[in-house]
Amino acid sequence: MNYFEELNKDYRFKEGFHTCINCGTCTAVCPAAEFYKYDPRKIVSIVQTKDNNAIEALLKSETIWYCGECMSCVTRCPRKNGPGLVIMALRDLSIRLGFFTESEKGRQIYPLTKALNGNILNYGYCVHPETFKYKDHPESGPVFEWVLNNKKQVYGRLGANYQGKGPGALRHISQEDLDELKAIYDVTGGTERLELVEKYSQAKAEQMGMSMEEYTEFTFSHCSPGHFNNED
Amino acid sequence: MIYQGKQKIWSDYQKETPADGWFYVRSCIRQSFFPASEKYFLAICRDLLGKDIYESEHHTTCGGIAYHCDTIPQETAMTIVARQFALMTEAGYKNLVTSCITSFGNYTEILETWREFPELEARIRENLWKATRREFEKPEYVAHASDLVYKFRNEIAERAKYRLVDVHTGKPLKIVEHIGCHYSKMFPHKGIGGAEYPCVLSGMVDSWGGEVIDYPERRHCCGFGFRQYMVKANRGYSVSNTHKKFESMEPYHPDAIITNCPGCPYFLDRWQYVISEQTGKTYGQNGFGIPVFTYEELAGLVLGYDSWDLGLQIHQVAVEPLLDKMGVQYDPANKYLGIDKEKLMKPALPSCLKCF
């Protein structure tokens, strides 16, 4: 497979990849480069070489998963490139080819896919208090633990239509509307993507000697040394 | 000539936001963490200013967080958005207003991509028809809800019960404004003031009597980073970026922060708590943090709505220091009541960050 040609089919790549002059402005302004061993200038430069082996190495690397997709680079590039958009295309290809399981940060696609799409297909929203667990989010503070312990009372007090019918914040989304979302996933490749991530992740979990439950927890929580600029 | 040139450039970054007739779509994060902000946005626009803003119970997420966590294909995200457009069309509206900045960026990106690649728009129309038997018109105008509050800022100021002024000194309160990255960094001409001089929040602060403070990392991301927060193992990225911003703004002694993205106020609030737990450092006066507000909350305070009805008790950083400076009347006994004034057990206190 010619990876550059595959990337060039992605509309984000078409929008975000023009001639890069290697000025490094994207790296200078990048919140990820500040802390991670991440250099968007180098990534775009590698892609620009069209070197198949080098691009394959990128697709299997940690580095393409460090970007936060804030798109600060898009504003600043003097040649109207979008390194963040190039990253989105690289990640998409890495997932389609199953290369994402080759890196620790890539393997995080599994818990992300399960959680976010589970929320969309069951609650109609990407994030939802029903699945937001304090043990996974201690940073949300004691005040949010209090909210989660008193959802009905607090959300009701604050004007949400919590689990109610009709419009409003945190309302119940009808099964008919959820069915439409599922049909959209089926028609557009969303369902196929979920199955693909499941298949590659199961194979990796088996290789790592973990159950899927252990794999989910490990990929969600574990951070090996070596990702940050201040580490060897 | 130069002045005309600058004037022309500036005019490219102004938006003629329609005053009325909006189809409203909610935010995954704002409705979960700041539900009262969505309530009061609608209350201010509909009840106070008499605007027509419609919400369909059938709308859903735009899929933006799942998209930017790279967990759904671009066509899936686009078709979810096309369904929102179909609901808007069916309801008879032409203008769409989003509660979320990620959504605003997502809608804008999709419409711009379709403009450049019409064949993709045609495919999404087919997808939507196959999946839902729905059809849609594209919105004539997409706004973020903060664009509307900016548009109505002077009408809000005319009705103000309180101003962003320290009642003890008579001086303007010093406010940090933080714009969500996807408001105008991707498509500067879609944001009021562009990416370089966005004035959607600073305009509100000016109108309501405050003083916007400038600081080196004013335009730095809050650190959400999608997967960098959603995955527990990556949150070092998120807190490190917030830390960088607070270290940068600290010498300017801000009284409060105003934000327009739903995620930013959560992160700027909660990471202050985490930084205090990890390092013992707090950024406000006397062991408090710097209170962080959504623009709806600050508008609500200015208009004199009850602080606890606005949801300020579900911030981790105590808001009372700012309420006291503004002279806002509030009853501490009502802070932790549930629906129908049911008395609830109070939340635990952080070990370092001062709270009431």
Side-chain angles (χ1 to χ4, degrees), chain A residues 105 108-109 111-112 136-137 218-222, chain B residues 69 226-236:
Chain A
K105 296 295 183 189
Q108 293 170 344
I109 278 293
L112 281 168
D136 293 331
H137 292 278
F218 189 75
T219 52
F220 178 70
S221 305
H222 182 73
Chain B
C69 285
F226 297 99
R227 68 180 347 263
Q228 314 303 352
Y229 171 74
M230 299 306 294
V231 176
K232 194 177 191 176
N234 298 345
R235 290 181 192 148

Side-chain angles (χ1 to χ4, degrees), chain B residues 109-345:
Chain B
E109 179 190 339
I110 288 170
L111 290 169
E112 290 291 304
T113 306
W114 290 353
R115 190 173 57 78
E116 285 199 41
F117 303 100
E119 77 281 4
L120 182 57
E121 179 186 336
R123 195 153 70 239
I124 300 302
R125 287 183 181 279
E126 279 179 32
N127 288 342
L128 186 69
W129 177 254
K130 280 183 197 165
T132 69
R133 292 289 183 267
R134 292 184 192 271
E135 295 178 292
F136 67 91
E137 298 291 327
K138 287 184 283 187
E140 289 181 0
Y141 199 94
V142 174
H144 183 253
S146 61
D147 293 337
L148 267 68
V149 174
Y150 172 83
K151 186 176 182 70
F152 304 138
R153 67 196 186 283
N154 294 328
E155 287 160 86
I156 290 169
E158 285 165 13
R159 294 163 169 82
K161 183 173 178 186
Y162 303 106
R163 288 173 57 75
L164 299 178
V165 171
D166 189 325
V167 292
H168 304 103
T169 65
K171 290 183 177 171
L173 291 168
K174 289 185 278 188
I175 311 290
V176 157
E177 52 85 81
H178 177 81
I179 308 275
C181 289
H182 288 198
Y183 176 69
S184 60
K185 283 184 178 174
M186 293 190 290
F187 300 97
H189 62 291
K190 298 293 182 185
I192 297 167
E196 204 66 66
Y197 301 105
C199 55
V200 63
L201 294 177
S202 60
M204 294 179 205
V205 173
D206 288 343
S207 287
W208 302 340
E211 177 189 330
V212 175
I213 62 171
D214 206 357
Y215 67 105
E217 299 298 343
R218 186 172 172 181
R219 297 287 164 241
H220 195 79
C221 174
C222 73
F224 177 22
F226 297 99
R227 68 180 347 263
Q228 314 303 352
Y229 171 74
M230 299 306 294
V231 176
K232 194 177 191 176
N234 298 345
R235 290 181 192 148
Y237 166 112
S238 191
V239 67
S240 298
N241 279 295
T242 295
H243 180 254
K244 181 182 168 80
K245 283 188 74 75
F246 276 98
E247 289 292 310
S248 175
M249 73 175 77
E250 185 185 24
Y252 302 85
H253 307 295
D255 294 301
I257 301 170
I258 181 174
T259 58
N260 69 343
C261 179
C264 303
Y266 174 79
F267 296 111
L268 296 175
D269 180 271
R270 296 313 203 276
W271 290 132
Q272 285 191 76
Y273 156 66
V274 172
I275 291 166
S276 73
E277 293 287 321
Q278 289 180 335
T279 70
K281 181 158 187 180
T282 52
Y283 290 94
Q285 292 168 335
N286 307 319
F288 288 100
I290 302 171
V292 189
F293 297 91
T294 68
Y295 56 93
E296 301 102 318
E297 289 170 346
L298 216 50
L301 279 180
V302 163
L303 287 165
Y305 294 124
D306 180 82
S307 307
W308 315 133
D309 288 346
L310 285 167
L312 305 185
Q313 68 276 46
I314 64 169
H315 296 202
Q316 189 60 70
V317 173
V319 298
E320 285 88 340
L322 185 83
L323 304 185
D324 293 339
K325 286 175 191 168
M326 287 176 68
V328 170
Q329 302 293 309
Y330 59 93
D331 184 350
N334 289 340
K335 186 171 181 180
Y336 295 113
L337 299 182
I339 196 166
D340 300 328
K341 299 202 183 298
E342 183 185 351
K343 204 165 184 178
L344 303 173
M345 190 182 289

Side-chain angles (χ1 to χ4, degrees), chain A residues 10-12 14-15 31-32 34-36 65-72 74-76 85 88 91-92 95 105-106 108-109 112-113 116-117 120 124-129 132 135-144 146-147 150 153-160 166-171 173 177 180-181 183-185 187-190 193-194 219-223 228, chain B residues 26 28 31-33 35-36 38-39 55 57-61 63 65-76 79 83 113 116-117 119-120 123 127 131-132 134 181-182 185-186 195-196 220-221 225-235 237 240-241 244 266 270-271 273-274 306 308-309 311 313-316 334-339 342 344-348:
Chain A
D10 191 309
Y11 288 96
R12 293 162 295 197
K14 291 178 206 277
E15 292 276 15
E34 178 98 16
F35 301 105
Y36 277 136
W65 305 101
Y66 291 149
C67 167
E69 298 189 13
C70 69
M71 303 295 171
S72 299
V74 175
T75 315
R76 296 291 172 216
L85 294 168
M88 291 179 83
R91 289 175 174 179
D92 192 78
I95 293 167
K105 296 295 183 189
Q108 293 170 344
I109 278 293
L112 281 168
T113 299
L116 293 167
N117 294 290
I120 291 174
Y125 285 92
C126 294
V127 175
H128 200 279
F132 191 93
K135 75 171 180 60
D136 293 331
H137 292 278
E139 79 290 343
S140 65
V143 76
F144 207 68
W146 175 78
V147 173
N150 299 281
Q153 294 92 334
V154 176
Y155 283 128
R157 161 86 191 274
L158 300 181
L170 298 173
R171 69 201 179 282
I173 304 295
D177 292 324
E180 287 195 19
L181 289 179
I184 287 171
Y185 271 62
V187 165
T188 59
R193 176 62 56 90
L194 304 189
T219 52
F220 178 70
S221 305
H222 182 73
C223 182
F228 292 98
Chain B
R26 291 185 184 271
C28 304
Q31 70 169 355
S32 297
F33 296 99
E38 293 197 336
K39 175 186 171 179
E55 178 192 2
E57 67 185 272
H58 301 294
H59 86 279
T60 63
T61 180
I65 296 175
Y67 175 61
H68 282 292
C69 285
D70 311 283
T71 69
I72 52 174
Q74 190 178 27
E75 282 198 26
T76 306
T79 312
R83 181 178 178 274
T113 306
E116 285 199 41
F117 303 100
E119 77 281 4
L120 182 57
R123 195 153 70 239
N127 288 342
T132 69
R134 292 184 192 271
C181 289
H182 288 198
K185 283 184 178 174
M186 293 190 290
E196 204 66 66
H220 195 79
C221 174
F226 297 99
R227 68 180 347 263
Q228 314 303 352
Y229 171 74
M230 299 306 294
V231 176
K232 194 177 191 176
N234 298 345
R235 290 181 192 148
Y237 166 112
S240 298
N241 279 295
K244 181 182 168 80
Y266 174 79
R270 296 313 203 276
W271 290 132
Y273 156 66
V274 172
D306 180 82
W308 315 133
D309 288 346
Q313 68 276 46
I314 64 169
H315 296 202
Q316 189 60 70
N334 289 340
K335 186 171 181 180
Y336 295 113
L337 299 182
I339 196 166
E342 183 185 351
L344 303 173
M345 190 182 289
K346 289 181 182 178

Side-chain angles (χ1 to χ4, degrees), chain A residues 72-214:
Chain A
S72 299
C73 51
V74 175
T75 315
R76 296 291 172 216
C77 177
R79 286 292 176 271
K80 305 292 179 197
N81 287 303
L85 294 168
V86 173
I87 285 288
M88 291 179 83
L90 285 164
R91 289 175 174 179
D92 192 78
L93 186 57
S94 176
I95 293 167
R96 283 195 283 131
L97 298 175
F99 291 165
F100 70 100
T101 62
E102 299 293 311
S103 65
E104 179 177 282
K105 296 295 183 189
R107 288 191 285 275
Q108 293 170 344
I109 278 293
Y110 182 68
L112 281 168
T113 299
K114 295 284 279 186
L116 293 167
N117 294 290
N119 284 341
I120 291 174
L121 295 170
N122 291 310
Y123 298 98
Y125 285 92
C126 294
V127 175
H128 200 279
E130 288 306 302
T131 58
F132 191 93
K133 304 297 179 202
Y134 183 70
K135 75 171 180 60
D136 293 331
H137 292 278
E139 79 290 343
S140 65
V143 76
F144 207 68
E145 184 181 29
W146 175 78
V147 173
L148 293 172
N149 288 337
N150 299 281
K151 288 197 281 281
K152 201 163 188 171
Q153 294 92 334
V154 176
Y155 283 128
R157 161 86 191 274
L158 300 181
N161 180 17
Y162 183 66
Q163 295 182 330
K165 290 185 176 175
L170 298 173
R171 69 201 179 282
H172 172 73
I173 304 295
S174 74
Q175 192 56 51
E176 290 76 15
D177 292 324
L178 295 176
D179 288 345
E180 287 195 19
L181 289 179
K182 178 65 170 64
I184 287 171
Y185 271 62
D186 291 345
V187 165
T188 59
T191 304
E192 192 183 339
R193 176 62 56 90
L194 304 189
E195 290 167 356
L196 195 70
V197 167
E198 183 78 32
K199 183 186 84 172
Y200 284 124
S201 300
Q202 276 184 4
K204 191 68 189 181
E206 196 173 320
Q207 190 189 338
M208 292 171 74
M210 292 180 181
S211 68
M212 287 317 285
E213 197 178 336
E214 290 166 338

